[in-house]
Amino acid sequence: IDMNNIPLNKTVQLMKGNSKRQKKVVDFIKNADLDMDDFVYLDEEHFRWNLGEFEKEKPEEKALDIPEQFMEQIRLCSVYHGVPLPSVLFDSTGTKKIAALASYIIEALEDGRVLVIDELDSSLHFKLTRAIAAMFNNELNRSAQLIFTVHDINLLDCKKLFRKEQIWFIDKDQAGVYLYSLADFTALKGVRDNSDILSKYQKGIFGAVPEPELIKSLLDLDIHTGNQGE
């Protein structure tokens, strides 16, 4: 799954039904601490677009036909203070991603599947990303597996959440791209189970740290340095 383009269809289909898994998806979304009362799918009988004012202002224009697939997504509503609002129109990017991701996570955990997510931390608070990882790195999980990429270095915590062999780095140079595990750095190299991995990474011990030189681009810009108002 690409976190920047998560298909919403799976969550839509689950929310249209009335299964036990639907309730688990809703509970997951609510337990993510998004400050919503509920997450619901409103069928056509309960969902109406009020075009009255629009038609009065522009009587010569016809209402656009909205594809059914998009209408199904609009019917997914977050409920705030008792008021259902279409999630795709009113929620933040992070909330919409959690709503779309929920069905995949619940399905993977219950069916023992492998879930692969690119840039899991995209638009999510690091505590939420950590909480998702902890659902899979948990003794209650028997067979499901989560493989994900992140840029958030706050997750470099092998003392509490991950084992060393679960953390991998990707580095690249003009010669190629390299994938290697934190477990490759042994105690002989100064990396122990109780080491501060985050601090060592920031110091460049593990590599995979970009060295941007954007100051060169800044120096090449024709920037007006005079005081405003002169």
Side-chain angles (χ1 to χ4, degrees):
I1 298 174
D2 179 359
M3 278 292 284
N4 294 312
N5 188 25
I6 311 175
L8 193 56
N9 295 343
K10 186 181 291 291
T11 296
V12 169
Q13 295 307 314
L14 276 176
M15 292 298 299
K16 288 172 66 175
N18 191 24
S19 63
K20 292 182 179 179
R21 186 165 288 183
Q22 178 210 37
K23 182 180 183 303
K24 294 171 184 177
V25 167
V26 173
D27 287 343
F28 176 90
I29 296 171
K30 292 166 64 176
N31 289 335
D33 193 23
L34 304 177
D35 291 324
M36 68 173 64
D37 302 332
D38 204 354
F39 190 77
V40 298
Y41 179 88
L42 298 182
D43 57 29
E44 190 171 357
E45 181 179 351
H46 297 90
F47 189 92
R48 292 285 187 272
W49 281 102
N50 184 2
L51 297 177
E53 294 300 321
F54 177 82
E55 291 174 350
K56 290 178 183 178
E57 293 176 4
K58 298 185 178 182
E60 74 284 356
E61 294 184 10
K62 294 182 179 179
L64 296 177
D65 290 331
I66 301 177
E68 180 61 25
Q69 184 177 2
F70 185 59
M71 278 301 302
E72 287 188 337
Q73 295 181 12
I74 291 179
R75 291 182 185 128
L76 283 178
C77 293
S78 301
V79 181
Y80 298 97
H81 303 292
V83 180
L85 300 172
S87 178
V88 295
L89 300 179
F90 291 93
D91 279 333
S92 67
T93 300
T95 297
K96 287 185 284 190
K97 288 183 178 182
I98 285 296
L101 192 60
S103 55
Y104 290 92
I105 291 176
I106 299 302
E107 181 183 74
L109 287 168
E110 290 201 324
D111 296 345
R113 297 187 178 185
V114 177
L115 180 60
V116 181
I117 304 177
D118 185 29
E119 297 190 359
L120 175 60
D121 56 330
S122 175
S123 300
L124 299 185
H125 192 280
F126 84 91
K127 282 193 173 183
L128 188 50
T129 308
R130 179 187 292 260
I132 292 173
M135 293 181 72
F136 288 82
N137 235 17
N138 192 297
E139 62 183 9
L140 296 177
N141 172 33
R142 298 299 183 183
S143 57
Q145 185 177 9
L146 175 65
I147 301 173
F148 63 94
T149 65
V150 291
H151 295 283
D152 187 355
I153 62 175
N154 287 298
L155 293 174
L156 285 175
D157 186 356
C158 67
K159 291 182 291 185
K160 296 181 180 179
L161 184 58
F162 300 108
R163 300 187 303 274
K164 289 171 63 176
E165 65 270 18
Q166 291 180 306
I167 298 176
W168 290 70
F169 301 100
I170 297 179
D171 203 356
K172 62 181 179 180
D173 56 25
Q174 293 182 346
V177 179
Y178 312 95
L179 177 66
Y180 50 94
S181 171
L182 177 61
D184 295 340
F185 297 85
T186 63
L188 295 176
K189 297 181 181 180
V191 181
R192 298 174 174 81
D193 290 339
N194 61 349
S195 294
D196 187 339
I197 302 302
L198 176 57
S199 176
K200 289 183 178 295
Y201 174 78
Q202 290 175 319
K203 294 176 181 177
I205 292 176
F206 308 122
V209 178
E211 298 293 344
E213 297 181 339
L214 296 181
I215 188 64
K216 293 181 178 180
S217 296
L218 177 62
L219 295 175
D220 288 338
L221 297 178
D222 296 324
I223 299 178
H224 177 63
T225 58
N227 294 327
Q228 291 185 357
E230 292 185 354

